[in-house]
PDB file of all heavy atoms in Angstrom:
ATOM      1  N   ASP O1398     -10.385  -7.794 -25.091  1.00  0.00           N
ATOM      2  CA  ASP O1398      -9.760  -7.324 -23.855  1.00  0.00           C
ATOM      3  C   ASP O1398      -9.905  -8.338 -22.725  1.00  0.00           C
ATOM      4  O   ASP O1398     -10.835  -9.147 -22.709  1.00  0.00           O
ATOM      5  CB  ASP O1398     -10.363  -5.987 -23.433  1.00  0.00           C
ATOM      6  CG  ASP O1398      -9.971  -4.862 -24.378  1.00  0.00           C
ATOM      7  OD1 ASP O1398      -8.875  -4.942 -24.973  1.00  0.00           O
ATOM      8  OD2 ASP O1398     -10.759  -3.912 -24.529  1.00  0.00           O
ATOM      9  N   ASP O1399      -8.965  -8.262 -21.781  1.00  0.00           N
ATOM     10  CA  ASP O1399      -8.991  -9.147 -20.624  1.00  0.00           C
ATOM     11  C   ASP O1399      -8.527  -8.379 -19.387  1.00  0.00           C
ATOM     12  O   ASP O1399      -8.199  -7.191 -19.467  1.00  0.00           O
ATOM     13  CB  ASP O1399      -8.127 -10.387 -20.857  1.00  0.00           C
ATOM     14  CG  ASP O1399      -6.672 -10.063 -21.185  1.00  0.00           C
ATOM     15  OD1 ASP O1399      -6.216  -8.928 -20.925  1.00  0.00           O
ATOM     16  OD2 ASP O1399      -5.986 -10.951 -21.706  1.00  0.00           O
ATOM     17  N   ALA O1400      -8.477  -9.066 -18.243  1.00  0.00           N
ATOM     18  CA  ALA O1400      -8.108  -8.430 -16.981  1.00  0.00           C
ATOM     19  C   ALA O1400      -6.689  -7.866 -17.024  1.00  0.00           C
ATOM     20  O   ALA O1400      -6.415  -6.822 -16.427  1.00  0.00           O
ATOM     21  CB  ALA O1400      -8.272  -9.416 -15.832  1.00  0.00           C
ATOM     22  N   ALA O1401      -5.791  -8.546 -17.723  1.00  0.00           N
ATOM     23  CA  ALA O1401      -4.422  -8.050 -17.831  1.00  0.00           C
ATOM     24  C   ALA O1401      -4.383  -6.702 -18.555  1.00  0.00           C
ATOM     25  O   ALA O1401      -3.628  -5.797 -18.173  1.00  0.00           O
ATOM     26  CB  ALA O1401      -3.542  -9.068 -18.551  1.00  0.00           C
ATOM     27  N   ALA O1402      -5.202  -6.554 -19.584  1.00  0.00           N
ATOM     28  CA  ALA O1402      -5.267  -5.287 -20.316  1.00  0.00           C
ATOM     29  C   ALA O1402      -5.815  -4.182 -19.415  1.00  0.00           C
ATOM     30  O   ALA O1402      -5.322  -3.050 -19.440  1.00  0.00           O
ATOM     31  CB  ALA O1402      -6.136  -5.438 -21.560  1.00  0.00           C
ATOM     32  N   ALA O1403      -6.824  -4.504 -18.612  1.00  0.00           N
ATOM     33  CA  ALA O1403      -7.408  -3.526 -17.697  1.00  0.00           C
ATOM     34  C   ALA O1403      -6.370  -3.057 -16.677  1.00  0.00           C
ATOM     35  O   ALA O1403      -6.240  -1.857 -16.403  1.00  0.00           O
ATOM     36  CB  ALA O1403      -8.627  -4.120 -17.000  1.00  0.00           C
ATOM     37  N   GLU O1404      -5.619  -3.999 -16.130  1.00  0.00           N
ATOM     38  CA  GLU O1404      -4.591  -3.660 -15.141  1.00  0.00           C
ATOM     39  C   GLU O1404      -3.480  -2.818 -15.771  1.00  0.00           C
ATOM     40  O   GLU O1404      -3.023  -1.828 -15.200  1.00  0.00           O
ATOM     41  CB  GLU O1404      -4.018  -4.934 -14.534  1.00  0.00           C
ATOM     42  CG  GLU O1404      -3.018  -4.678 -13.430  1.00  0.00           C
ATOM     43  CD  GLU O1404      -2.525  -5.944 -12.787  1.00  0.00           C
ATOM     44  OE1 GLU O1404      -2.983  -7.050 -13.130  1.00  0.00           O
ATOM     45  OE2 GLU O1404      -1.634  -5.837 -11.908  1.00  0.00           O
ATOM     46  N   ARG O1405      -3.049  -3.218 -16.958  1.00  0.00           N
ATOM     47  CA  ARG O1405      -1.993  -2.494 -17.669  1.00  0.00           C
ATOM     48  C   ARG O1405      -2.428  -1.059 -17.986  1.00  0.00           C
ATOM     49  O   ARG O1405      -1.680  -0.103 -17.756  1.00  0.00           O
ATOM     50  CB  ARG O1405      -1.632  -3.254 -18.950  1.00  0.00           C
ATOM     51  CG  ARG O1405      -0.445  -2.725 -19.705  1.00  0.00           C
ATOM     52  CD  ARG O1405      -0.013  -3.640 -20.853  1.00  0.00           C
ATOM     53  NE  ARG O1405      -1.086  -4.016 -21.766  1.00  0.00           N
ATOM     54  CZ  ARG O1405      -1.659  -5.227 -21.819  1.00  0.00           C
ATOM     55  NH1 ARG O1405      -1.261  -6.195 -21.018  1.00  0.00           N
ATOM     56  NH2 ARG O1405      -2.621  -5.478 -22.687  1.00  0.00           N
ATOM     57  N   LEU O1406      -3.651  -0.896 -18.483  1.00  0.00           N
ATOM     58  CA  LEU O1406      -4.145   0.431 -18.834  1.00  0.00           C
ATOM     59  C   LEU O1406      -4.332   1.288 -17.580  1.00  0.00           C
ATOM     60  O   LEU O1406      -4.020   2.483 -17.591  1.00  0.00           O
ATOM     61  CB  LEU O1406      -5.451   0.325 -19.627  1.00  0.00           C
ATOM     62  CG  LEU O1406      -5.989   1.631 -20.194  1.00  0.00           C
ATOM     63  CD1 LEU O1406      -4.974   2.297 -21.124  1.00  0.00           C
ATOM     64  CD2 LEU O1406      -7.297   1.390 -20.935  1.00  0.00           C
ATOM     65  N   ALA O1407      -4.788   0.700 -16.492  1.00  0.00           N
ATOM     66  CA  ALA O1407      -4.935   1.445 -15.239  1.00  0.00           C
ATOM     67  C   ALA O1407      -3.584   1.986 -14.784  1.00  0.00           C
ATOM     68  O   ALA O1407      -3.474   3.143 -14.343  1.00  0.00           O
ATOM     69  CB  ALA O1407      -5.556   0.555 -14.167  1.00  0.00           C
ATOM     70  N   GLY O1408      -2.547   1.175 -14.910  1.00  0.00           N
ATOM     71  CA  GLY O1408      -1.215   1.623 -14.544  1.00  0.00           C
ATOM     72  C   GLY O1408      -0.739   2.778 -15.406  1.00  0.00           C
ATOM     73  O   GLY O1408      -0.137   3.741 -14.912  1.00  0.00           O
ATOM     74  N   ARG O1409      -1.024   2.709 -16.682  1.00  0.00           N
ATOM     75  CA  ARG O1409      -0.634   3.789 -17.593  1.00  0.00           C
ATOM     76  C   ARG O1409      -1.377   5.080 -17.253  1.00  0.00           C
ATOM     77  O   ARG O1409      -0.787   6.169 -17.281  1.00  0.00           O
ATOM     78  CB  ARG O1409      -0.908   3.387 -19.045  1.00  0.00           C
ATOM     79  CG  ARG O1409       0.033   2.272 -19.516  1.00  0.00           C
ATOM     80  CD  ARG O1409      -0.127   1.957 -20.981  1.00  0.00           C
ATOM     81  NE  ARG O1409       0.320   3.095 -21.788  1.00  0.00           N
ATOM     82  CZ  ARG O1409      -0.082   3.338 -23.024  1.00  0.00           C
ATOM     83  NH1 ARG O1409      -0.943   2.521 -23.610  1.00  0.00           N
ATOM     84  NH2 ARG O1409       0.364   4.371 -23.700  1.00  0.00           N
ATOM     85  N   VAL O1410      -2.670   4.967 -16.943  1.00  0.00           N
ATOM     86  CA  VAL O1410      -3.451   6.151 -16.587  1.00  0.00           C
ATOM     87  C   VAL O1410      -2.919   6.758 -15.287  1.00  0.00           C
ATOM     88  O   VAL O1410      -2.710   7.971 -15.191  1.00  0.00           O
ATOM     89  CB  VAL O1410      -4.953   5.807 -16.461  1.00  0.00           C
ATOM     90  CG1 VAL O1410      -5.730   6.940 -15.789  1.00  0.00           C
ATOM     91  CG2 VAL O1410      -5.539   5.492 -17.836  1.00  0.00           C
ATOM     92  N   ALA O1411      -2.698   5.931 -14.283  1.00  0.00           N
ATOM     93  CA  ALA O1411      -2.237   6.424 -12.983  1.00  0.00           C
ATOM     94  C   ALA O1411      -0.880   7.114 -13.076  1.00  0.00           C
ATOM     95  O   ALA O1411      -0.614   8.080 -12.350  1.00  0.00           O
ATOM     96  CB  ALA O1411      -2.173   5.272 -11.984  1.00  0.00           C
ATOM     97  N   ARG O1412      -0.009   6.636 -13.977  1.00  0.00           N
ATOM     98  CA  ARG O1412       1.350   7.172 -14.079  1.00  0.00           C
ATOM     99  C   ARG O1412       1.544   8.173 -15.227  1.00  0.00           C
ATOM    100  O   ARG O1412       2.649   8.692 -15.424  1.00  0.00           O
ATOM    101  CB  ARG O1412       2.337   6.020 -14.221  1.00  0.00           C
ATOM    102  CG  ARG O1412       2.448   5.191 -12.950  1.00  0.00           C
ATOM    103  CD  ARG O1412       3.507   4.117 -13.044  1.00  0.00           C
ATOM    104  NE  ARG O1412       3.051   2.909 -13.719  1.00  0.00           N
ATOM    105  CZ  ARG O1412       2.367   1.927 -13.132  1.00  0.00           C
ATOM    106  NH1 ARG O1412       2.043   2.016 -11.869  1.00  0.00           N
ATOM    107  NH2 ARG O1412       1.999   0.862 -13.823  1.00  0.00           N
ATOM    108  N   LEU O1413       0.466   8.454 -15.972  1.00  0.00           N
ATOM    109  CA  LEU O1413       0.546   9.384 -17.102  1.00  0.00           C
ATOM    110  C   LEU O1413       0.910  10.782 -16.596  1.00  0.00           C
ATOM    111  O   LEU O1413       0.186  11.379 -15.798  1.00  0.00           O
ATOM    112  CB  LEU O1413      -0.807   9.416 -17.838  1.00  0.00           C
ATOM    113  CG  LEU O1413      -0.884  10.258 -19.096  1.00  0.00           C
ATOM    114  CD1 LEU O1413       0.037   9.704 -20.182  1.00  0.00           C
ATOM    115  CD2 LEU O1413      -2.323  10.290 -19.591  1.00  0.00           C
ATOM    116  N   ARG O1414       2.027  11.292 -17.077  1.00  0.00           N
ATOM    117  CA  ARG O1414       2.532  12.577 -16.576  1.00  0.00           C
ATOM    118  C   ARG O1414       2.013  13.720 -17.451  1.00  0.00           C
ATOM    119  O   ARG O1414       2.694  14.172 -18.378  1.00  0.00           O
ATOM    120  CB  ARG O1414       4.053  12.552 -16.531  1.00  0.00           C
ATOM    121  CG  ARG O1414       4.541  11.505 -15.561  1.00  0.00           C
ATOM    122  CD  ARG O1414       6.029  11.446 -15.377  1.00  0.00           C
ATOM    123  NE  ARG O1414       6.829  11.895 -16.502  1.00  0.00           N
ATOM    124  CZ  ARG O1414       8.145  11.951 -16.502  1.00  0.00           C
ATOM    125  NH1 ARG O1414       8.808  11.590 -15.442  1.00  0.00           N
ATOM    126  NH2 ARG O1414       8.793  12.356 -17.572  1.00  0.00           N
ATOM    127  N   ILE O1415       0.810  14.194 -17.122  1.00  0.00           N
ATOM    128  CA  ILE O1415       0.202  15.295 -17.873  1.00  0.00           C
ATOM    129  C   ILE O1415      -0.171  16.469 -16.967  1.00  0.00           C
ATOM    130  O   ILE O1415      -0.915  17.355 -17.371  1.00  0.00           O
ATOM    131  CB  ILE O1415      -1.011  14.842 -18.707  1.00  0.00           C
ATOM    132  CG1 ILE O1415      -2.098  14.227 -17.854  1.00  0.00           C
ATOM    133  CG2 ILE O1415      -0.568  13.900 -19.821  1.00  0.00           C
ATOM    134  CD1 ILE O1415      -3.384  13.931 -18.619  1.00  0.00           C
ATOM    135  N   PHE O1416       0.385  16.463 -15.744  1.00  0.00           N
ATOM    136  CA  PHE O1416       0.206  17.606 -14.841  1.00  0.00           C
ATOM    137  C   PHE O1416       1.534  18.337 -14.765  1.00  0.00           C
ATOM    138  O   PHE O1416       2.601  17.731 -14.776  1.00  0.00           O
ATOM    139  CB  PHE O1416      -0.248  17.134 -13.453  1.00  0.00           C
ATOM    140  CG  PHE O1416      -1.608  16.535 -13.458  1.00  0.00           C
ATOM    141  CD1 PHE O1416      -1.777  15.169 -13.647  1.00  0.00           C
ATOM    142  CD2 PHE O1416      -2.734  17.323 -13.296  1.00  0.00           C
ATOM    143  CE1 PHE O1416      -3.031  14.597 -13.680  1.00  0.00           C
ATOM    144  CE2 PHE O1416      -4.005  16.763 -13.320  1.00  0.00           C
ATOM    145  CZ  PHE O1416      -4.155  15.397 -13.515  1.00  0.00           C
ATOM    146  N   GLU O1417       1.453  19.649 -14.664  1.00  0.00           N
ATOM    147  CA  GLU O1417       2.649  20.476 -14.727  1.00  0.00           C
ATOM    148  C   GLU O1417       3.402  20.523 -13.402  1.00  0.00           C
ATOM    149  O   GLU O1417       2.788  20.554 -12.334  1.00  0.00           O
ATOM    150  CB  GLU O1417       2.267  21.889 -15.159  1.00  0.00           C
ATOM    151  CG  GLU O1417       1.682  21.909 -16.559  1.00  0.00           C
ATOM    152  CD  GLU O1417       0.883  23.163 -16.865  1.00  0.00           C
ATOM    153  OE1 GLU O1417       0.518  23.897 -15.927  1.00  0.00           O
ATOM    154  OE2 GLU O1417       0.612  23.386 -18.047  1.00  0.00           O
ATOM    155  N   ASN O1418       4.742  20.569 -13.513  1.00  0.00           N
ATOM    156  CA  ASN O1418       5.580  20.793 -12.336  1.00  0.00           C
ATOM    157  C   ASN O1418       5.729  22.299 -12.138  1.00  0.00           C
ATOM    158  O   ASN O1418       5.084  23.095 -12.836  1.00  0.00           O
ATOM    159  CB  ASN O1418       6.925  20.073 -12.473  1.00  0.00           C
ATOM    160  CG  ASN O1418       7.754  20.598 -13.641  1.00  0.00           C
ATOM    161  OD1 ASN O1418       7.534  21.688 -14.178  1.00  0.00           O
ATOM    162  ND2 ASN O1418       8.742  19.812 -14.046  1.00  0.00           N
ATOM    163  N   ASP O1419       6.605  22.699 -11.237  1.00  0.00           N
ATOM    164  CA  ASP O1419       6.792  24.121 -10.943  1.00  0.00           C
ATOM    165  C   ASP O1419       7.342  24.914 -12.124  1.00  0.00           C
ATOM    166  O   ASP O1419       7.198  26.133 -12.182  1.00  0.00           O
ATOM    167  CB  ASP O1419       7.720  24.289  -9.735  1.00  0.00           C
ATOM    168  CG  ASP O1419       7.088  23.762  -8.456  1.00  0.00           C
ATOM    169  OD1 ASP O1419       5.847  23.683  -8.393  1.00  0.00           O
ATOM    170  OD2 ASP O1419       7.847  23.428  -7.528  1.00  0.00           O
ATOM    171  N   GLN O1420       7.979  24.222 -13.073  1.00  0.00           N
ATOM    172  CA  GLN O1420       8.514  24.886 -14.262  1.00  0.00           C
ATOM    173  C   GLN O1420       7.534  24.860 -15.435  1.00  0.00           C
ATOM    174  O   GLN O1420       7.857  25.287 -16.534  1.00  0.00           O
ATOM    175  CB  GLN O1420       9.835  24.227 -14.700  1.00  0.00           C
ATOM    176  CG  GLN O1420      10.992  24.446 -13.739  1.00  0.00           C
ATOM    177  CD  GLN O1420      10.891  23.573 -12.498  1.00  0.00           C
ATOM    178  OE1 GLN O1420      10.527  22.411 -12.597  1.00  0.00           O
ATOM    179  NE2 GLN O1420      11.188  24.148 -11.343  1.00  0.00           N
ATOM    180  N   GLY O1421       6.330  24.357 -15.213  1.00  0.00           N
ATOM    181  CA  GLY O1421       5.321  24.333 -16.264  1.00  0.00           C
ATOM    182  C   GLY O1421       5.453  23.174 -17.233  1.00  0.00           C
ATOM    183  O   GLY O1421       4.794  23.155 -18.270  1.00  0.00           O
ATOM    184  N   LYS O1422       6.295  22.197 -16.924  1.00  0.00           N
ATOM    185  CA  LYS O1422       6.493  21.028 -17.791  1.00  0.00           C
ATOM    186  C   LYS O1422       5.596  19.885 -17.339  1.00  0.00           C
ATOM    187  O   LYS O1422       5.365  19.698 -16.143  1.00  0.00           O
ATOM    188  CB  LYS O1422       7.959  20.548 -17.728  1.00  0.00           C
ATOM    189  CG  LYS O1422       8.968  21.601 -18.086  1.00  0.00           C
ATOM    190  CD  LYS O1422       8.973  21.871 -19.545  1.00  0.00           C
ATOM    191  CE  LYS O1422      10.084  22.882 -19.866  1.00  0.00           C
ATOM    192  NZ  LYS O1422       9.947  23.445 -21.153  1.00  0.00           N
ATOM    193  N   PHE O1423       5.113  19.089 -18.287  1.00  0.00           N
ATOM    194  CA  PHE O1423       4.330  17.896 -17.956  1.00  0.00           C
ATOM    195  C   PHE O1423       5.269  16.893 -17.280  1.00  0.00           C
ATOM    196  O   PHE O1423       6.048  16.226 -17.961  1.00  0.00           O
ATOM    197  CB  PHE O1423       3.739  17.272 -19.213  1.00  0.00           C
ATOM    198  CG  PHE O1423       2.531  17.979 -19.756  1.00  0.00           C
ATOM    199  CD1 PHE O1423       2.044  19.143 -19.205  1.00  0.00           C
ATOM    200  CD2 PHE O1423       1.865  17.448 -20.847  1.00  0.00           C
ATOM    201  CE1 PHE O1423       0.921  19.771 -19.722  1.00  0.00           C
ATOM    202  CE2 PHE O1423       0.743  18.065 -21.377  1.00  0.00           C
ATOM    203  CZ  PHE O1423       0.281  19.236 -20.804  1.00  0.00           C
ATOM    204  N   ASP O1424       5.195  16.810 -15.978  1.00  0.00           N
ATOM    205  CA  ASP O1424       6.118  15.951 -15.244  1.00  0.00           C
ATOM    206  C   ASP O1424       5.474  15.275 -14.038  1.00  0.00           C
ATOM    207  O   ASP O1424       6.140  14.590 -13.291  1.00  0.00           O
ATOM    208  CB  ASP O1424       7.333  16.777 -14.795  1.00  0.00           C
ATOM    209  CG  ASP O1424       8.481  15.910 -14.351  1.00  0.00           C
ATOM    210  OD1 ASP O1424       8.703  14.857 -14.978  1.00  0.00           O
ATOM    211  OD2 ASP O1424       9.137  16.274 -13.360  1.00  0.00           O
ATOM    212  N   ARG O1425       4.178  15.465 -13.838  1.00  0.00           N
ATOM    213  CA  ARG O1425       3.512  14.902 -12.665  1.00  0.00           C
ATOM    214  C   ARG O1425       2.304  14.078 -13.093  1.00  0.00           C
ATOM    215  O   ARG O1425       1.612  14.420 -14.048  1.00  0.00           O
ATOM    216  CB  ARG O1425       3.068  16.033 -11.727  1.00  0.00           C
ATOM    217  CG  ARG O1425       4.256  16.878 -11.258  1.00  0.00           C
ATOM    218  CD  ARG O1425       3.849  17.985 -10.329  1.00  0.00           C
ATOM    219  NE  ARG O1425       3.466  17.386  -9.058  1.00  0.00           N
ATOM    220  CZ  ARG O1425       2.550  17.898  -8.254  1.00  0.00           C
ATOM    221  NH1 ARG O1425       1.915  19.005  -8.575  1.00  0.00           N
ATOM    222  NH2 ARG O1425       2.258  17.303  -7.121  1.00  0.00           N
ATOM    223  N   SER O1426       2.072  13.009 -12.358  1.00  0.00           N
ATOM    224  CA  SER O1426       0.926  12.137 -12.622  1.00  0.00           C
ATOM    225  C   SER O1426      -0.196  12.447 -11.630  1.00  0.00           C
ATOM    226  O   SER O1426      -0.004  13.205 -10.666  1.00  0.00           O
ATOM    227  CB  SER O1426       1.344  10.668 -12.465  1.00  0.00           C
ATOM    228  OG  SER O1426       1.605  10.389 -11.098  1.00  0.00           O
ATOM    229  N   VAL O1427      -1.334  11.827 -11.831  1.00  0.00           N
ATOM    230  CA  VAL O1427      -2.438  11.987 -10.892  1.00  0.00           C
ATOM    231  C   VAL O1427      -2.036  11.443  -9.520  1.00  0.00           C
ATOM    232  O   VAL O1427      -2.476  11.956  -8.489  1.00  0.00           O
ATOM    233  CB  VAL O1427      -3.743  11.337 -11.443  1.00  0.00           C
ATOM    234  CG1 VAL O1427      -3.666   9.819 -11.436  1.00  0.00           C
ATOM    235  CG2 VAL O1427      -4.965  11.828 -10.712  1.00  0.00           C
ATOM    236  N   LEU O1428      -1.179  10.423  -9.494  1.00  0.00           N
ATOM    237  CA  LEU O1428      -0.656   9.909  -8.225  1.00  0.00           C
ATOM    238  C   LEU O1428       0.209  10.954  -7.537  1.00  0.00           C
ATOM    239  O   LEU O1428       0.084  11.168  -6.323  1.00  0.00           O
ATOM    240  CB  LEU O1428       0.170   8.645  -8.456  1.00  0.00           C
ATOM    241  CG  LEU O1428      -0.584   7.372  -8.791  1.00  0.00           C
ATOM    242  CD1 LEU O1428       0.381   6.289  -9.252  1.00  0.00           C
ATOM    243  CD2 LEU O1428      -1.403   6.911  -7.589  1.00  0.00           C
TER     244      LEU O1428
END
């Protein structure tokens, strides 16, 4: 692993849409 991998994975975590919207669908990220 290197710094580029850390940055890439951080972006994926921040944008991972596993929070529900008003319709109960996974459509929201931690951001």
